[in-house]
Amino acid sequence: MSARNDVAPDTLGVELTEDGIVVQYNDDRETFYHGVPKKVEDTLRTGPGKLVQILVTDPTETEGVLMYVNDRNTHDSILEQSGVGRLMLEPDEEEEMFPGVTVRADGYAIEVEADPEVARGRVFVFEEDELGEASYEIVNEADD
């Protein structure tokens, strides 16, 4: 398998619905993340070996940027056509993906730390593997 590179994201259309989140790619496809995201305060640690995607919306919640973290399956040209970005991290490497959103590789797990006020939008993290998917929203203070 060839090495994968970081890919800069484009702004994509976003629709927040009662049943989940729709992201509209630049190539006219869309994806649907099922369910209401679970609220997590400040930092989320994903399961080891999961496919991790991070969506940061703008203040209107109608646009955003979607980044794959350590995705080795999707070819660069597909990401570039769709508008999805990718960040590749080495073990123990940390990078500020966007203002207010820091991503860290901790072994085979990914840690996402976010401050939505600094990010100026909502921060969602999706993790999936062949057994299922989960979605989270990183908030400054979770509702009880």
Side-chain angles (χ1 to χ4, degrees), residues 56-67:
V56 181
T57 70
D58 72 348
T60 69
E61 301 175 359
T62 60
E63 294 183 326
V65 289
L66 181 63
M67 294 285 289

Side-chain angles (χ1 to χ4, degrees), residues 91-140:
D92 300 319
E93 185 179 5
E94 175 179 299
E95 186 166 323
E96 185 175 48
M97 181 179 288
F98 303 108
V101 181
T102 301
V103 182
R104 218 172 352 282
D106 184 19
Y108 291 103
I110 300 295
E111 288 186 350
V112 182
E113 182 178 330
D115 182 339
E117 286 185 34
V118 174
R120 298 185 58 231
R122 295 173 74 176
V123 180
F124 298 99
V125 180
F126 310 104
E127 67 173 342
E128 60 185 74
D129 62 14
E130 61 278 349
L131 301 176
E133 61 183 52
S135 59
Y136 305 93
E137 179 179 4
I138 300 178
V139 297
N140 287 336

Side-chain angles (χ1 to χ4, degrees), residues 28-42:
D28 294 326
R29 295 179 302 121
E30 63 183 32
T31 190
F32 183 70
Y33 294 100
H34 297 273
V36 175
K38 178 181 175 185
K39 292 185 182 200
V40 174
E41 290 184 31
D42 304 320

Side-chain angles (χ1 to χ4, degrees), residues 4-26:
R4 297 295 185 216
N5 303 304
D6 288 353
V7 175
D10 288 335
T11 301
L12 305 175
V14 174
E15 182 181 356
L16 306 179
T17 72
E18 291 180 6
D19 299 321
I21 300 171
V22 179
V23 177
Q24 299 147 350
Y25 298 130
N26 287 345

